[in-house]
Amino acid sequence: MSIILTKPSHPETLGPAPTSHDQKAPVTEASGQPRIISRQEHRIQPRHVSANAIKVVERLQQGGHAAFIVGGSIRDLLLGQQPKDFDVATSATPEQVRELFRNARLIGRRFRLAHVRFGREIIEVATFRGGGEEESEHREIEEGGRVLRDNVFGSEQEDACRRDFTVNALMYDPIKETIRDHVGGYEDVMARRLRLIGDPVTRYREDPVRLLRAVRFMVKLDLAIEPQTAGPMVALAPLLVDIPPARLFDEILKLFLSGHAWPTFQALVRQDLWAQLFPGLFEDPSAPPPLVEQALKNTDQRVAEGLPVTPGFLFAAFLWPKVRERSARLIDAGQAPVEALAEAGEDAIVEQARRVAIHRRYSGMAKEIWCLQPRFENRRGKRVNRLMNERRFRAAYDFLLLRVLEEPELEELARWWTDIQVVDGEQRGQMLEGQESGRRRRRRRPRKRKSGV
Ligand code: ATP
Ligand code: MG
């Protein structure tokens, strides 16, 4: 990493150097004076900070360790948003953390962390980590620069510098009520600027998921990306090919289910990242199919209204153009619609899962949504009730409404299904009756023709 490390400071908060059998002590002594931002300046109100996180920091500090609240929560507080969770970074080793907290559990293989549980709230406590330039038995770098393993303890300053963006590297001492800034993150938050720590190309190469994180923070927090951080993004987008599909799935959930799915999609397309994640789905991703655009906008609307959202529905929308085209070909070749959709759907999912792992639960949901579509066309008596009792009926109905955007001939059908869900018993009887008599009328004609032959 091209991060400049300077001389140690603030011994009162640095605590003893961590040691462990399988995790290495700091590569370099902490150096460099962080900028200290006082309460008068940052104006973080302690009542907005998790009382449990404060308790954890207090106990660690009393035990002689350095400890701060770090990462996204401090950034969010400065931006006036309520953080989802609070993480703590400390000079104490995981074992020392466990000794101090009865309610702590050690987790993680790649880098061990302590989870300190308070009822439903979990405070994640991580030992300061270093980046370190050299390869060692604790740090493995592949040819392209990607860091495969980096379980190396570090100093406070190294811990700040190994983080991705400056705005994510602020450390808050809730006892002194000061922010400690090693990377110029405070100024960047105030200017609403997203900037990678260190040399952007190196940092993206170390971990290409940072390309996606850049888009996520830019959109979610409405930050302007600094030109040097934005510069290499398009050229480095192909590096995502090496990221394990399961990790991409986790990232995709955060990208699309946090209430900014549509602007996130547009930003991913602009940075050429969309095509890395979902190759070959749309002819021109900058003008996605109307159904996809609306599915993304509806997701954001639901998040804004506090309604549940599921990646299953979004995957159903993303893959639909492909599924629709392939199933149409199978139907033309004589296959029954539901089977054609199941087969085309399975193929599309298997293909997509090579890039982004789709959890079984969600691919199953997407398949159900697709396969229920032909059943909307059958509006006779018992079948109507049976369809309405399907557990994916609501999702499939929402999907039908989206299909109208691309297949206007479905409008009457969609309206009928909208009405049947809200009318009273008598009107419902009439609606079903209408379908029955329509069917009788439709049936009689071919018979007449037959008899005329
Ligand atoms: P969110 O509010 O979306 O959770 P966050 O900043 O808390 O945002 P997390 O993924 O929870 O993001 O990560 C916590 C912290 O860990 C980050 O703030 C950042 O300092 C560090 N971090 C996470 N992922 C990376 C990464 N890929 N490279 C470097 N640092 C990272
Ligand atoms: Mg977080």
Side-chain angles (χ1 to χ4, degrees), residues 35-46:
R35 177 178 165 208
I36 306 289
I37 296 120
S38 69
R39 182 182 51 166
Q40 289 74 17
E41 193 178 344
H42 64 66
R43 290 162 185 255
I44 288 179
Q45 307 270 347

Side-chain angles (χ1 to χ4, degrees), residues 233-389:
M233 288 181 79
V234 170
L236 298 181
L239 293 177
L240 281 177
V241 75
D242 292 327
I243 303 300
R247 186 162 177 223
L248 289 181
F249 179 73
D250 292 344
E251 215 44 51
I252 280 185
L253 294 191
K254 292 192 205 160
L255 282 165
F256 289 112
L257 300 181
S258 316
H260 310 277
W262 173 237
T264 297
F265 171 85
Q266 293 174 300
L268 288 174
V269 171
R270 272 198 301 277
Q271 307 294 348
D272 255 9
L273 293 164
W274 169 262
Q276 299 297 327
L277 300 171
F278 295 95
L281 288 190
F282 317 140
E283 221 164 90
D284 173 11
S286 63
L291 174 145
V292 172
E293 177 175 341
Q294 198 56 47
L296 289 162
K297 289 179 174 169
N298 289 358
T299 303
D300 293 342
Q301 180 69 32
R302 289 180 68 91
V303 173
E305 290 170 14
L307 296 169
V309 286
T310 158
F313 191 86
L314 273 181
F315 276 107
F318 291 164
L319 298 179
W320 177 244
K322 203 180 235 181
V323 173
R324 187 180 162 201
E325 189 198 301
R326 289 196 187 161
S327 63
R329 259 188 272 141
L330 294 171
I331 292 168
D332 282 348
Q335 206 162 356
V338 175
E339 281 156 31
L341 282 161
E343 189 179 324
E346 178 64 24
D347 286 353
I349 284 168
V350 168
E351 222 166 279
Q352 176 56 41
R354 287 193 203 118
R355 299 312 294 271
V356 178
I358 308 175
H359 197 293
R360 253 254 208 2
R361 201 164 104 217
Y362 303 122
S363 58
M365 182 186 293
K367 270 190 253 177
E368 285 176 76
I369 289 172
W370 296 324
C371 290
L372 287 174
Q373 295 306 309
R375 289 178 53 187
F376 284 107
E377 280 158 39
N378 202 326
R379 289 180 266 178
R380 269 171 293 139
K382 286 205 185 103
R383 287 172 193 252
V384 170
N385 275 333
R386 230 181 283 150
L387 182 53
M388 285 170 75
N389 286 330

